[in-house]
Amino acid sequence: MTRKEDARFVRGRGTYVDDVRLPGTLHAAVLRSPLAHARITAIDTRAAEAHPKVRVVITGAVLADRGLAWMPTLSGDVQAVLATDKVRFQGQEVAFVIADDPYSARDALALVDVDYDPLPPVVDARTALDPDAPVIRDDREGRRDNHIFDWEAGDAAATDRVFAGAAVVVAQDVLYPRVHPAPLETCAVIADHDVVTGKLTVWATTQAPHAHRTLLATITGIPEHRIRVVSPDVGGGFGNKVPIYPAYVCAVAGSMLTGRPVKWTEDRSENLMATTFARDYHMHGEIASTVDGKILALRVRVLADHGAFNGTAQPSKYPAGFFHIVTGSYDLEAAHCSVTGVYTNKAPGGVAYACSFRVAEASFLVERLVDLLALELDVDPAELRMRNLLRPEQFPYTCSTGWEYDSGDYPRALALLLETAGYRELRAEQARRRELGEHLGIGLSFFTEAVGAGPRKHMDIVGLGMADGAELRVHPTGKAVLRISVQSQGQGHETTFAQIVAHELGIGPDDVDVVHGDTDATPFGLGTYGSRSTPVSGAAASMAARKVRERARIVASAMLEVSPDDLEWSPGRWSVRGDPTAGKSITEIAAAAHSDLDLPDGVEGQLDASCVYNPPNLTFPFGAYLCVVEVDPGTGQVVVRRFVAVDDCGVRINPSIVEGQVHGGLADGIGVALMELIAFDPDGNHLGGSFMDYLLPTAVDCPSWELAETVTPSPHHPLGAKGIGECATVGSPAAVVNAVMDALRPFGVRHADMPLTPAAVWRAIQGRPLRG
Ligand code: MCN
Ligand code: CUM
């Protein structure tokens, strides 16, 4: 089925926040810090306020008077809404100017005079804990360092024992650099506070409208039932639109101050400089094995750069997200990982960009280590993986750091990959080409993803348990409307969620409309990230539809004057067991449920049903990827020749949407591996503020993807589906980097950090690798 929403998107009929026009709207612009670390000694707004079109200039002091200068982050920290004492990263919000039009607001920024007293910045996370490092968060009571948290998983002593006895140990420092989700639509908001009713309506481009409503209530003190958050069409999220940003709070304050709607739309540089980044993990990994390549254990230490405020978006009990899935797809005796989070003078945020809460970093590290082990043992990396993958009979499998993998058949996926790619022939071609002095590289990765958070008992964000609601209304004519708590940013929920209901009720997907992105019109739920929509909300939709089906059975029994137990279901129809001609369709039953029929007990009239789905576990999709590159040693240029991907996300609701998700994620992987980087100079100046500097992959950089699939249903999801949205972004960077390292083997290169730009590759060949 093709995507329902594309009919409006390809006609330019989508409605994004910027398309929302309210009468009397004022426009805002944000004044940002030019320095990475400085004390603010004075702010003079008089000239800006004198601008004929400026209505209000909001500073930290104005917010502080209302208790709004600081706001909670998604990780239990606080973040400055507008700086009062210090600026802590370049691009930090300092003032919010509201004017009659967006151009005047921008112009007036230049009229705000801020005196800064520069302070030395912490730019390299590896120096953040030095005794003489400048203290970034001197606002924190009793804390005089840049330390945020220490966290560990696994059994350290058992791991040390296995390492002590292991014949082979390979170690490597691996940087997963700071990258950015970079959605095409930047962040935007319109806040409209009605002074008469006290109702606040916020149009925002968000992935989690309900969570934002609760947060806005907490921050502003406006009662939650008087807040409505509307997230219309969203032009890409990739994690960037999970948090609340300071300008959103300023827009609300601005609307309360002016009594008018206040609109703010970020530009590209602001998005790249100041909104949530991803990764920035300095990792040290060790892998232990026997001489014949049985992998025994993994030991990992991480230094995590969280920027100036700890604003990572992830379940609150997991300060390093799901990084402890670093054991990957292998059967280990022991594993231990520890993560230390630190503040630096960089933008806050973290974990965004199709990462499944740090599975991206974990998966990259273990797959690099396995390749380095193959190099050390001089065995084929495909062979080494095949020898060590979990076997199907081991599922459900509890790994040494505590995850319970629900289902999988890993050897089958790897075998299918090798066959689809023609692995043996590829290796033969590589040998031939090496003799000609050509540098073909073949890289593999195998990943296990963990998506679909909760259960709510173990997982919450700011105290909100991770479950999702769905409400299904069936109209008298049998047409249905499904209301869901998750919010599509391009993933096609209007199509796939309609398909889920259609499948359960045996009606056409065109007979089901999906409503999302408006908190007044949808049930509460935690939203779309961590590829949780299908595993959690999709399950809610399915269960709600099954309740409708059961209700329909009772109505049909009254219509047919038989016991409900004597009815059997076939798609779209309840009929008398053994007599398919005596039956009633869902459409007929819906009409009867709204009619003067005497309804039996258990049906109040109508067929509507709802469900709040609390997942029993995450789902664990997996995949096997292979990348073929060619490297020009003269220029360091890498060209991706082929990319073969086998994905298993359980039952696929819409195969073409799943393929689209995989295509997008593979392109992300090429971007991260070869070109994307948020870099800083030693003064903390941000060096990637436009798409000239922050490179995104285009079609030219991508080969024609070669996809294949296996289907291992999730045993606990009602439809057997697992999430897919982030799989390819998680799994593909390792395949690309492993391929480049394979191509560089004749030069004795073991490892080089991403992004593998021509300069980085050339330096690695010269034996002088660029280091993060
Ligand atoms: N699907 C399916 N069968 C499955 C699994 C999924 O048909 N077995 C369909 C789903 O029903 C949905 C799509 O594939 O239409 C993605 O589903 P899912 O894996 O549940 O992921 P989410 O919908 O929760 O999307 C979130 C995920 C994340 S976290 C990021 S980041 C990301 C991604 O989706 N951001 C995206 N893919 C994106 N795609 C687009 N176009 N834009 C983004 O911002
Ligand atoms: Cu980690 S990016 Mo997605 O989970 O929105």
Side-chain angles (χ1 to χ4, degrees):
M1 183 184 174
T2 56
R3 301 201 325 164
K4 287 182 170 201
E5 41 275 87
D6 287 343
R8 69 174 185 279
F9 291 147
V10 299
R11 287 174 174 83
R13 301 291 286 269
T15 305
Y16 301 88
V17 170
D18 201 50
D19 296 314
V20 176
R21 300 285 146 97
L22 304 180
T25 297
L26 301 174
H27 298 265
V30 175
L31 182 71
R32 294 178 182 278
S33 168
L35 299 171
H37 199 190
R39 198 158 292 288
I40 296 177
T41 53
I43 303 182
D44 185 344
T45 57
R46 281 170 300 179
E49 278 156 347
H51 186 291
K53 297 211 168 157
V54 168
R55 299 293 177 117
V56 179
V57 179
I58 301 178
T59 58
V62 173
L63 293 181
D65 285 345
R66 291 163 176 76
L68 287 176
W70 294 80
M71 65 177 186
T73 69
L74 296 176
S75 286
D77 196 358
V78 289
Q79 172 175 0
V81 177
L82 293 175
T84 47
D85 52 343
K86 288 205 304 190
V87 287
R88 294 175 169 86
F89 66 93
Q90 192 191 45
Q92 186 180 339
E93 300 80 357
V94 176
F96 192 76
V97 175
I98 300 173
D100 291 341
D101 62 75
Y103 316 103
S104 303
R106 281 269 156 159
D107 285 350
L109 294 182
L111 302 174
V112 180
D113 197 7
V114 186
D115 284 343
Y116 294 104
D117 193 358
L119 297 166
V122 179
V123 182
D124 186 338
R126 289 165 293 194
T127 66
L129 297 178
D130 289 354
D132 57 348
V135 177
I136 299 166
R137 294 296 301 281
D138 45 1
D139 59 294
R140 294 195 309 164
E141 204 76 50
R143 297 301 299 271
R144 288 291 167 265
D145 60 28
N146 297 313
H147 180 265
I148 311 176
F149 67 86
D150 288 310
W151 187 77
E152 61 177 331
D155 185 335
T159 306
D160 289 347
R161 273 197 303 278
V162 178
F163 266 88
V168 184
V169 172
V170 174
Q172 182 64 48
D173 283 329
V174 173
L175 172 70
Y176 204 130
R178 184 174 272 239
V179 292
H180 199 280
L184 278 190
E185 183 200 21
T186 58
C187 295
V189 69
I190 304 173
D192 184 15
H193 183 256
D194 186 321
V195 283
V196 179
T197 63
K199 176 120 186 173
L200 171 70
T201 306
V202 174
W203 280 265
T205 167
T206 158
Q207 298 178 217
H210 292 275
H212 280 198
R213 185 186 66 197
T214 308
L215 276 170
L216 284 170
T218 321
I219 296 167
T220 63
I222 298 172
E224 193 170 1
H225 64 300
R226 300 237 171 81
I227 301 179
R228 174 184 177 203
V229 175
V230 187
S231 186
D233 287 324
V234 177
F238 306 102
N240 194 230
K241 292 165 180 176
V242 177
I244 284 201
Y245 292 113
Y248 295 7
V249 178
C250 292
V252 173
S255 181
M256 294 173 91
L257 285 169
T258 60
R260 303 260 296 262
V262 172
K263 180 176 196 169
W264 171 73
T265 307
E266 177 186 71
D267 73 18
R268 180 63 54 196
S269 298
E270 295 181 283
N271 182 256
L272 287 167
M273 283 177 83
T275 65
T276 184
F277 68 95
R279 326 288 195 254
D280 221 346
Y281 258 32
H282 298 258
M283 307 185 278
H284 177 78
E286 294 167 90
I287 189 166
S289 89
T290 63
V291 274
D292 50 4
K294 166 85 187 90
I295 303 175
L296 301 172
L298 208 64
R299 194 161 52 190
V300 174
R301 277 197 320 272
V302 179
L303 181 68
D305 185 337
H306 281 231
F309 306 100
N310 185 22
T312 62
Q314 61 207 355
S316 60
K317 284 180 201 143
Y318 301 86
F322 299 165
F323 182 80
H324 51 311
I325 199 161
V326 68
T327 56
S329 315
Y330 308 104
D331 187 12
L332 307 181
E333 283 177 20
H336 180 254
C337 67
S338 62
V339 182
T340 296
V342 296
Y343 291 116
T344 60
N345 289 109
K346 300 178 191 168
V351 315
Y353 194 180
C355 54
S356 305
F357 307 124
R358 307 283 188 194
V359 185
E361 291 89 327
S363 173
F364 182 74
L365 178 65
V366 62
E367 289 306 297
R368 280 297 297 132
L369 289 173
V370 169
D371 253 42
L372 287 165
L373 180 64
L375 186 69
E376 176 76 21
L377 298 170
D378 197 24
V379 298
D380 183 279
E383 170 60 32
L384 183 64
R385 284 182 174 80
M386 194 57 105
R387 250 186 253 170
N388 287 285
L389 285 177
L390 291 167
R391 296 180 312 279
E393 64 274 15
Q394 291 176 281
F395 290 87
Y397 173 81
T398 304
C399 76
S400 3
T401 48
W403 294 103
E404 189 190 297
Y405 298 4
D406 59 348
S407 65
D409 187 343
Y410 294 1
R412 181 165 65 127
L414 181 55
L416 179 63
L417 177 80
L418 300 178
E419 184 197 314
T420 310
Y423 187 65
R424 209 186 293 267
E425 299 83 71
L426 270 175
R427 285 289 177 202
E429 180 188 347
Q430 179 182 43
R432 279 198 308 279
R433 303 263 305 265
R434 265 190 188 151
E435 279 179 11
L436 301 173
E438 292 172 9
H439 301 280
L440 191 76
I442 304 162
L444 288 158
S445 69
F446 198 103
F447 66 91
T448 299
E449 255 273 55
V451 301
R456 68 192 310 161
K457 187 170 185 299
H458 305 302
M459 294 182 195
D460 69 277
I461 287 196
V462 291
L464 301 169
M466 299 183 85
D468 279 77
E471 285 171 16
L472 182 57
R473 297 187 188 168
V474 183
H475 299 326
T477 53
K479 311 291 182 196
V481 174
L482 177 73
R483 295 164 184 277
I484 52 175
S485 55
V486 293
Q487 164 65 29
S488 172
Q489 311 113 48
Q491 296 91 339
H493 293 171
E494 287 164 47
T495 307
T496 47
F497 279 70
Q499 286 182 277
I500 290 172
V501 171
H503 171 79
E504 295 289 5
L505 295 185
I507 59 179
D510 277 338
D511 292 338
V512 186
D513 262 5
V514 175
V515 177
H516 59 173
D518 180 344
T519 56
D520 273 7
T522 55
F524 188 86
L526 269 277
T528 292
Y529 42 84
S531 306
R532 59 191 300 285
S533 301
T534 310
V536 187
S537 202
S542 170
M543 299 310 276
R546 288 180 191 184
K547 285 186 187 172
V548 166
R549 205 161 76 191
E550 281 313 303
R551 220 157 271 187
R553 176 189 203 142
I554 299 169
V555 177
S557 78
M559 295 168 78
L560 295 162
E561 297 179 343
V562 293
S563 153
D565 294 339
D566 293 334
L567 293 175
E568 66 183 357
W569 175 256
S570 57
R573 194 175 162 83
W574 283 111
S575 45
V576 178
R577 207 179 296 279
D579 181 7
T581 56
K584 294 289 177 192
S585 71
I586 277 285
T587 312
E588 291 166 317
I589 299 169
H594 287 85
S595 74
D596 58 0
L597 178 80
D598 266 340
L599 291 172
D601 288 348
V603 183
E604 294 169 344
Q606 311 175 0
L607 294 178
D608 304 357
S610 64
C611 169
V612 178
Y613 191 78
N614 178 25
N617 187 7
L618 290 102
T619 65
F620 295 79
F622 56 94
Y625 290 172
L626 182 144
C627 177
V628 182
V629 299
E630 270 174 68
V631 177
D632 178 341
T635 62
Q637 173 91 21
V638 176
V639 177
V640 180
R641 286 289 175 224
R642 285 180 69 193
F643 203 106
V644 190
V646 175
D647 272 283
D648 191 322
C649 58
V651 173
R652 295 179 172 207
I653 293 153
N654 185 314
S656 109
I657 285 181
V658 168
E659 284 188 10
Q661 290 291 302
V662 173
H663 285 186
L666 296 178
D668 282 340
I670 286 184
V672 168
L674 301 183
M675 59 194 86
E676 294 183 40
L677 177 68
I678 295 285
F680 296 86
D681 76 5
D683 294 326
N685 291 310
H686 184 284
L687 302 177
S690 81
F691 282 158
M692 297 292 284
D693 301 302
Y694 189 80
L695 297 185
L696 290 180
T698 67
V700 176
D701 304 299
C702 300
S704 186
W705 313 111
E706 301 168 62
L707 305 191
E709 71 189 74
T710 58
V711 174
T712 313
S714 169
H716 61 77
H717 187 278
L719 297 169
K722 303 181 177 188
I724 186 67
E726 297 159 296
C727 286
T729 313
V730 163
S732 58
V736 180
V737 172
N738 285 343
V740 176
M741 292 306 118
D742 186 50
L744 299 188
R745 198 170 167 175
F747 300 100
V749 176
R750 257 173 63 90
H751 178 77
D753 282 326
M754 301 188 287
L756 296 175
T757 58
V761 171
W762 190 85
R763 292 273 303 251
I765 293 171
Q766 309 307 310
R768 294 179 291 130
L770 283 171
R771 290 289 294 140

